[in-house]
Amino acid sequence: MRVAWCNVLSEYFLETNSVKQGGVLSPVLFCIYIDNLLIHLLKSGFGCYIGNTFVGALAYADIVLVAPSASAMRRLLSICDYFASEYSISFNATKSKCMVISPHTRRKVQYCEFVIQGKPMEFVSSYVHLGHLISDISQRRCDFVRQVNNVLCYF
């Protein structure tokens, strides 16, 4: 790698770090890098849809997997595991969270274990994603669907 600044080029150097957190281009570069993962997730047929639009994998600086069942989530996670081994990347299981949002008619949810790269993920009742609190209450669910639709309209 080398840096270009005002028509001056630096010497080549070995880049040993990943995309810099907080960098202006970091989220865009991240999305370009994981584009193949998103394509594999889409082609798998697992995950959630809004109409005909796949929303099973939402990505911008982070990846959010959305699945209608535990088995579908396991399939999506398996695809992520394969991608990680193929492209020499790792997913941090301690930073990864699972959240179940169930219909009002099925309030009692049985939790099962989900793993990424062989490590279990923690279940939470809410989490913050890109500055937005996501939790299992009806209004938040409606807000989430509205936000997803808003993102789909712009992108």
Side-chain angles (χ1 to χ4, degrees):
M1 166 180 271
R2 68 185 193 175
V3 177
W5 184 263
C6 295
N7 296 325
V8 177
L9 295 174
S10 73
E11 296 293 322
Y12 283 100
F13 60 93
L14 180 63
E15 171 58 46
T16 57
N17 292 325
S18 60
V19 176
K20 302 291 183 208
Q21 189 153 356
V24 176
L25 284 177
S26 296
V28 175
L29 294 174
F30 171 77
C31 287
I32 291 169
Y33 187 75
I34 62 150
D35 192 50
N36 279 338
L37 171 61
L38 300 175
I39 290 168
H40 288 309
L41 293 168
L42 168 67
K43 288 182 177 179
S44 74
F46 299 101
C48 287
Y49 289 81
I50 296 178
N52 292 327
T53 303
F54 178 71
V55 293
L58 309 173
Y60 185 76
D62 289 318
I63 301 171
V64 176
L65 299 177
V66 184
S69 68
S71 62
M73 180 58 74
R74 282 194 189 90
R75 297 275 181 110
L76 294 176
L77 290 169
S78 173
I79 293 167
C80 290
D81 279 341
Y82 176 78
F83 181 85
S85 66
E86 195 71 19
Y87 289 87
S88 300
I89 66 168
S90 61
F91 293 102
N92 189 337
T94 58
K95 288 185 177 180
S96 301
K97 308 295 180 209
C98 293
M99 189 171 84
V100 175
I101 299 176
S102 63
H104 296 292
T105 57
R106 196 177 57 186
R107 272 289 161 219
K108 185 167 175 92
V109 175
Q110 290 188 348
Y111 291 92
C112 53
E113 186 174 81
F114 292 109
V115 296
I116 187 75
Q117 294 189 276
K119 296 179 183 155
M121 297 167 32
E122 174 189 7
F123 274 89
V124 295
S125 59
S126 65
Y127 73 99
V128 176
H129 178 67
L130 299 176
H132 298 281
L133 177 66
I134 309 294
S135 60
D136 186 17
I137 55 177
S138 298
Q139 185 57 46
R140 293 291 182 195
R141 185 177 312 137
C142 292
D143 290 344
F144 176 71
V145 170
R146 189 170 29 259
Q147 289 171 358
V148 168
N149 285 331
N150 196 18
V151 168
L152 292 173
C153 287
Y154 287 103
F155 298 101

